[in-house]
Amino acid sequence: MKNDCKKLELDKVLALLSEQAWSDGCKEKIAEIVPLGRDNYGITEVREELKKTDDAFTLSAKFGTPRFSRIKNICDSAKRAGSGASLSLRELLDICAVIKNIGTLLSWYAGCSGGSLSDNSLAGYFIMLTPNKALSDKIDNAILSAEELSDGASPELMKIRKAIIRQGLYIREQLDKLIKNPEKQKFLQESIITTRDGRFVVPVRIEHKGEISGLVHDTSSSGQTLFIEPMAVVEANNEIRLLKGREQAEIERIIAEMSSDVGDFSEDLIIGFETMQKLEMYFAKANLGAKMKAITPEIVETPCLLLNKARHPLISPDKVVPITVELGFNYNCLIITGPNTGGKTVALKTVGLLILMAKCGLMIPAADGSKIGFFSDVFADIGDEQSIEQSLSTFSSHMNNITRIIKTIGEPQGAAEYSLILLDELGSGTDPIEGSALAVSILEYLKKCPCLVIATTHYQEVKLFAIEEEGVENASCEFDINTLRPTYRLITGMPGKSQAFSIAARLGLNENIIKSAERLITGENRRFEKTIEALESARIEIETVRAEIEDERIKARRNNQASEKLREQLEHEKGRELQSARNKADGIINEVRHIADGLIDELEQIRKEKDKEDFSERVRSARSKLNKTLAQMHDNANPIIEKNEENYVLPRPLKVYDAVLLADIDKKGTLLNLPDKSGNCIVQIGLMKTKTKLENLRLIEEKTEDRIKINNRHISTKGLQSNMTRKTSMELDIRGMAADEGVLEVERFIDSSIMGGLHLITVIHGKGTGVLRDAVHKYLKGHGRIKSYRLGVYGEGETGVTVIELK
């Protein structure tokens, strides 16, 4: 089985998986992965492993991959600590790193919906992790590096180290006086302080050794210098030696104490480390699946196989051509044929490798809907393994493998577990007649065994066997004879041609040689090849038609989507228009109610005065007023203007940028282009452009700038002096305008009002942000014809209007 896995390149996929891991321990465990099968569990375990990988993939997709550190295996250290041994600083730091990583994982898991992922198969692993922040903080604060403890590891250690520093400073002070003494300097080799055996000394010339009293600790390599400890600092050096001993004893005590704490927690540490290794592996599998754009296949009880758009994971995604393979439903044996380098072996390896990956709990690079039955073993006879040492030929090598496979799977109908057998170039390497006969016999035998078989071949006899035998199906690897390149498409139900003659011709082989070879082929084989060619032509034609149908289906779907989108848009417009109509109707109803109340009051007043002389005249006046009001209400309720001007003639030809009125919707706009051959024009109304007929346009002679809004209606400024004789308040509405545009309109309005003899006018600028109001007031402040101005009071519009008194 191990050799079969290597032939199918499972080891290379595991190497890719190892790249997704962080710790060395996890990488080692990945290298030890073997597919679940006959010797190690069954379908339940495969499903569980895939479920864990899939759940890790789901968690990574939703919350990101948790952070794993490059932790080291601390199981042996934890066991030693549990038995009472003291650990090294390096071991304690490694244990601290494991505890920290446990805390990081638990924090990440808590952030995944609060950790309430009971339906996730990985939840149990996170529950097994036990945090111990107190121990990690203790180790972290006590140890500076693998060689040094912190001063703050204990109060006693800090006290001892401070005492050592004080003694050292005292010694240096004494020796510093000595080396700076002019009388003593001439006896010294150098004016420096150094140490020997942990004691402070000074270098003295050998000829002056009697001049410096003290203990000799060392001699230079040349013998010219003695390193002497002056008597003045001997006691201080002795004190430092004692303090160093106490320091070491305290360090050992601290390490023993931390090791004891680790020992109390050793079981939880070992469980936590092993659990983290498992989690790291599952998330590594999930990350590899994401990188391969893989899916989790369905594992079924039935011995079958459906790989939908499967891709070989070791071939670049830009180059690999997906294949769909079905086996175990209508047939248990698939014969793949086609020319050399056509992709037969790649297809064989793709099937075997993806099944092994699933048996290892890995996601597979295929499309949704893929199903894999549980196979106890996957056997592969792929490639040429001839051995000079064992005197094995290519044929002998193939026969050895096939013999091993047949012995392993057992006698026909003699086993309950199914295997998958992959045979490359079955029967090759010997006489074609004998090889094809042997190939057919092997397939007949395996067909009766508890196994599914995929085999590749060039033999016509095997192709015929697949056509005639029930439960056996042909498949071919497509080859483009025009380019002499394989397409790598696998076509089930169609035997393939070897294309030897065509390839030879394209490569320039003499035409006479090819024709002579064709004549040597038997009539039966020639007819078979022509039948395959006819089937191939029919298949290509069917696929062309199918592609055209698919294109039409896609177009129809797009049209349906566009129609649906348009329908939704129209429904939205309809709703908006209906709401607008309702709002307008509400306004009309309120207006009718107000007018009706007024008419009722007036009629009541007339009824009371029926005895007066002018009663009849007042009744006629009231009736006329009622008819006029109803007509006005009818006009308001019908905003689309009827075309009363059917014989309208433009006073002059239209020009670009003329102001025009669209008669059918009573909207003003600007003409953007002259009529085309069909009489269509483009008119801009605000920000919207619309196409309309020339007959629908009415020329507006006066310019927009010459019109102002007075009493909520537009009037021309021409002849304003003679027409504006009313002394009542006039209004200008500039809401929605920019500041400079609004000021310009106010300036024109004031000029027109002065010409009309008005003394009190109102500018409606709205409340808004106040920018427009401030601009108007700034302009009014410096105007010479303004007597006064003020904001409106209650009932006039308050801060939304400005009332202006003219001089």
Side-chain angles (χ1 to χ4, degrees):
M1 181 68 179
K2 185 176 181 180
N3 192 37
D4 296 298
C5 292
K6 187 171 182 61
K7 289 178 184 177
L8 294 170
E9 301 177 296
L10 178 63
D11 56 324
K12 294 181 180 179
V13 173
L14 294 181
L16 293 178
L17 176 61
S18 182
E19 293 176 3
Q20 302 301 318
W22 290 266
S23 66
D24 293 336
C26 185
K27 293 178 186 290
E28 292 171 3
K29 287 186 177 295
I30 288 173
E32 297 170 357
I33 291 177
V34 293
L36 299 174
R38 188 189 300 271
D39 301 323
N40 52 358
Y41 312 110
I43 187 171
T44 302
E45 287 72 24
V46 172
R47 285 173 173 168
E48 288 177 355
E49 286 299 298
L50 280 172
K51 177 70 166 62
K52 291 171 184 176
T53 301
D54 189 61
D55 286 345
F57 181 86
T58 301
L59 288 175
S60 293
K62 288 184 178 179
F63 308 106
T65 302
R67 182 176 176 271
F68 292 90
S69 301
R70 297 186 181 277
I71 54 175
K72 295 184 179 180
N73 192 333
I74 50 87
C75 294
D76 290 340
S77 299
K79 289 177 183 177
R80 286 177 46 240
S83 62
S86 287
L87 304 179
S88 67
L89 295 183
R90 178 72 269 166
E91 289 175 309
L92 289 170
L93 287 173
D94 290 341
I95 288 171
C96 182
V98 170
I99 299 173
K100 286 182 178 180
N101 205 179
I102 288 174
T104 301
L105 285 177
L106 289 174
S107 297
W108 177 86
Y109 183 66
C112 302
S113 301
S116 58
L117 300 174
S118 56
D119 59 334
N120 192 291
S121 60
L122 299 181
Y125 290 112
F126 285 97
I127 293 172
M128 293 171 66
L129 298 175
T130 305
N132 195 335
K133 191 173 186 301
L135 180 56
S136 67
D137 288 347
K138 185 175 183 178
I139 296 173
D140 213 20
N141 294 331
I143 302 176
L144 293 177
S145 68
E147 292 81 27
E148 185 181 3
L149 275 180
S150 167
D151 293 346
S154 75
E156 181 65 18
L157 182 62
M158 182 176 289
K159 179 180 176 183
I160 293 171
R161 286 183 173 176
K162 285 183 177 179
I164 291 173
I165 292 172
R166 283 197 300 271
Q167 288 296 325
L169 291 174
Y170 171 77
I171 293 171
R172 284 186 174 277
E173 183 180 350
Q174 297 301 316
L175 294 179
D176 197 49
K177 291 179 181 178
L178 186 148
I179 64 176
K180 290 181 179 178
N181 187 334
E183 295 181 0
K184 301 290 184 181
Q185 282 183 349
K186 59 185 178 183
F187 307 133
L188 301 177
Q189 190 74 21
E190 290 182 86
S191 297
I192 61 170
I193 302 170
T194 184
T195 60
R196 287 294 184 273
D197 297 327
R199 304 178 75 88
F200 290 96
V201 296
V202 293
V204 180
R205 296 176 180 177
I206 191 167
E207 61 269 22
H208 300 297
K209 64 179 180 180
E211 303 296 334
I212 303 292
S213 61
L215 303 177
V216 177
H217 284 280
D218 196 7
T219 306
S220 68
S221 58
S222 63
Q224 299 301 312
T225 304
L226 298 177
F227 293 96
I228 298 177
E229 178 187 4
M231 295 302 297
V233 296
V234 169
E235 285 300 322
N237 269 327
N238 289 340
E239 182 65 22
I240 288 179
R241 176 73 56 93
L242 292 174
L243 289 171
K244 287 285 186 181
R246 288 174 57 192
E247 179 190 26
Q248 185 59 35
E250 179 64 13
I251 288 173
E252 290 174 359
R253 186 197 68 78
I254 293 170
I255 292 175
E257 180 182 307
M258 288 190 292
S259 298
S260 176
D261 293 340
V262 171
D264 295 339
F265 193 57
S266 60
E267 285 190 20
D268 289 339
L269 276 172
I270 293 170
I271 292 172
F273 174 78
E274 292 176 346
T275 301
M276 280 198 299
Q277 294 279 277
K278 292 177 182 178
L279 285 171
E280 183 179 345
M281 182 181 295
Y282 289 125
F283 280 101
K285 289 180 177 181
N287 288 343
L288 180 62
K291 190 174 181 180
M292 290 182 173
K293 298 181 181 178
I295 57 99
T296 303
E298 179 185 356
I299 306 299
V300 296
E301 299 278 355
T302 308
C304 63
L305 177 66
L306 174 57
L307 296 178
N308 187 21
K309 297 182 180 178
R311 308 181 306 278
H312 196 289
L314 301 178
I315 301 177
S316 171
D318 299 331
K319 297 180 180 179
V320 67
V321 177
I323 60 172
T324 297
V325 181
E326 182 179 332
L327 192 63
F329 297 97
N330 299 320
Y331 45 88
N332 291 349
C333 183
L334 185 65
I335 308 300
I336 303 177
T337 54
N340 290 325
T341 70
K344 301 190 299 299
T345 303
V346 172
L348 212 62
K349 285 187 173 182
T350 300
V351 173
L353 182 54
L354 264 56
I355 292 175
L356 291 178
M357 288 174 64
K359 286 161 66 69
C360 292
L362 291 168
M363 302 168 72
I364 62 172
D368 291 332
S370 297
K371 298 180 181 180
I372 296 177
F374 178 74
F375 299 101
S376 59
D377 292 298
V378 177
F379 299 105
D381 176 41
I382 298 175
D384 183 2
E385 294 184 356
Q386 58 180 324
S387 170
I388 296 175
E389 293 180 359
Q390 298 180 14
S391 300
L392 294 178
S393 66
T394 299
F395 177 74
S396 299
S397 173
H398 283 304
M399 286 303 106
N400 264 344
N401 282 331
I402 293 172
T403 301
R404 171 183 61 87
I405 292 169
I406 290 175
K407 286 180 179 179
T408 305
I409 64 175
E411 296 296 323
Q413 309 302 331
E417 295 180 335
Y418 268 70
S419 300
L420 177 68
I421 301 175
L422 307 172
L423 303 174
D424 192 25
E425 300 295 346
L426 180 59
S428 65
T430 186
D431 177 75
I433 297 175
E434 292 180 354
S436 61
L438 192 57
V440 171
S441 297
I442 292 171
L443 292 173
E444 284 180 336
Y445 181 86
L446 292 177
K447 185 174 176 291
K448 300 172 185 176
C449 295
C451 63
L452 302 184
V453 181
I454 302 179
T456 67
T457 185
H458 287 285
Y459 294 139
Q460 299 282 24
E461 289 79 7
V462 180
K463 299 177 188 177
L464 286 170
F465 172 75
I467 293 173
E468 296 169 353
E469 188 71 17
E470 185 178 354
V472 184
E473 184 61 87
N474 269 308
S476 61
C477 287
E478 190 179 52
F479 190 86
D480 189 342
I481 193 59
N482 294 319
T483 61
L484 289 183
R485 292 181 181 275
T487 65
Y488 298 106
R489 290 180 58 208
L490 184 66
I491 303 165
T492 304
M494 174 73 64
K497 293 182 63 179
S498 295
Q499 302 288 359
F501 294 158
S502 300
I503 293 173
R506 294 282 295 183
L507 293 175
L509 186 64
N510 188 287
E511 184 178 351
N512 293 327
I513 296 176
I514 296 173
K515 288 181 178 180
S516 176
E518 289 176 344
R519 286 195 297 269
L520 295 176
I521 298 176
T522 63
E524 184 178 346
N525 285 339
R526 191 178 296 113
R527 286 193 299 272
F528 183 74
E529 288 292 327
K530 288 184 177 180
T531 301
I532 292 178
E533 288 180 4
L535 289 173
E536 179 69 10
S537 299
R539 181 191 65 79
I540 293 173
E541 184 177 350
I542 290 171
E543 287 193 353
T544 302
V545 173
R546 184 181 298 167
E548 292 175 355
I549 293 173
E550 180 65 16
D551 289 341
E552 292 299 326
R553 188 184 67 80
I554 293 173
K555 289 179 182 177
R557 184 175 62 187
R558 288 175 180 170
N559 290 337
N560 288 337
Q561 291 174 348
S563 299
E564 182 65 22
K565 185 176 181 180
L566 179 59
R567 187 190 66 78
E568 292 176 358
Q569 184 178 354
L570 292 175
E571 286 291 333
H572 177 71
E573 293 291 334
K574 175 183 174 183
R576 190 169 62 181
E577 292 298 329
L578 285 175
Q579 185 60 41
S580 176
R582 292 190 190 99
N583 294 339
K584 190 167 186 178
D586 289 341
I588 293 173
I589 290 171
N590 292 333
E591 185 179 356
V592 169
R593 183 180 291 111
H594 176 71
I595 294 172
D597 289 344
L599 291 172
I600 290 172
D601 292 343
E602 187 173 353
L603 290 173
E604 181 64 23
Q605 185 65 27
I606 293 173
R607 185 186 64 78
K608 291 179 180 179
E609 300 174 359
K610 63 182 179 179
D611 296 331
K612 292 187 177 181
E613 295 180 359
D614 59 347
F615 174 73
S616 297
E617 180 62 27
R618 295 184 66 180
V619 169
R620 283 194 299 271
S621 176
R623 183 178 292 109
S624 175
K625 184 177 181 181
L626 174 61
N627 291 335
K628 184 178 180 181
T629 302
L630 290 174
Q632 185 178 356
M633 289 169 57
H634 181 269
D635 291 340
N636 292 337
N638 293 274
I640 305 299
I641 299 175
E642 297 179 0
K643 297 181 180 180
N644 295 325
E645 301 178 69
E646 292 295 336
N647 298 322
Y648 175 81
V649 178
L650 290 167
R652 63 171 175 78
L654 293 177
K655 300 177 181 178
V656 177
Y657 302 124
D658 272 345
V660 293
L661 175 73
L662 278 72
D664 57 348
I665 60 173
D666 193 29
K667 295 292 184 181
K668 297 176 184 177
T670 302
L671 183 67
L672 297 182
N673 68 339
L674 297 177
D676 57 18
K677 295 180 180 179
S678 302
N680 293 320
C681 306
I682 301 297
V683 177
Q684 181 160 356
I685 304 173
L687 297 177
M688 182 184 70
K689 295 180 182 179
T690 184
K691 181 186 288 187
T692 186
K693 291 288 185 181
L694 177 62
E695 295 79 6
N696 188 40
L697 301 181
R698 306 290 182 265
L699 179 63
I700 301 175
E701 293 287 357
E702 52 272 10
K703 297 181 180 179
T704 305
E705 290 79 9
D706 295 332
R707 301 180 61 81
I708 58 173
K709 197 171 187 181
I710 301 178
N711 282 342
N712 296 324
R713 58 191 178 89
H714 287 85
I715 65 172
S716 173
T717 58
K718 297 177 180 179
L720 189 63
Q721 180 68 41
S722 58
N723 293 330
M724 297 180 62
T725 57
R726 298 177 58 191
K727 304 298 181 183
T728 57
S729 172
M730 296 290 104
E731 295 179 352
L732 171 66
D733 190 346
I734 59 171
R735 286 176 295 182
M737 295 184 183
D740 53 351
E741 182 184 4
V743 170
L744 181 62
E745 289 297 323
V746 170
E747 181 182 3
R748 292 171 177 162
F749 181 54
I750 291 174
D751 292 343
S752 300
S753 300
I754 292 171
M755 292 173 60
L758 301 178
H759 297 288
L760 192 65
I761 59 176
T762 301
V763 176
I764 305 172
H765 43 64
K767 298 177 181 178
T769 60
V771 173
L772 187 57
R773 179 190 61 216
D774 294 343
V776 170
H777 285 187
K778 184 177 180 181
Y779 169 74
L780 296 176
K781 189 174 183 180
H783 200 291
R785 299 299 301 273
I786 304 301
K787 185 176 181 180
S788 67
Y789 65 90
R790 62 175 174 80
L791 291 174
V793 297
Y794 181 78
E796 291 180 325
E798 303 179 29
T799 58
V801 302
T802 296
V803 180
I804 305 169
E805 185 178 0
L806 303 175
K807 291 182 180 179

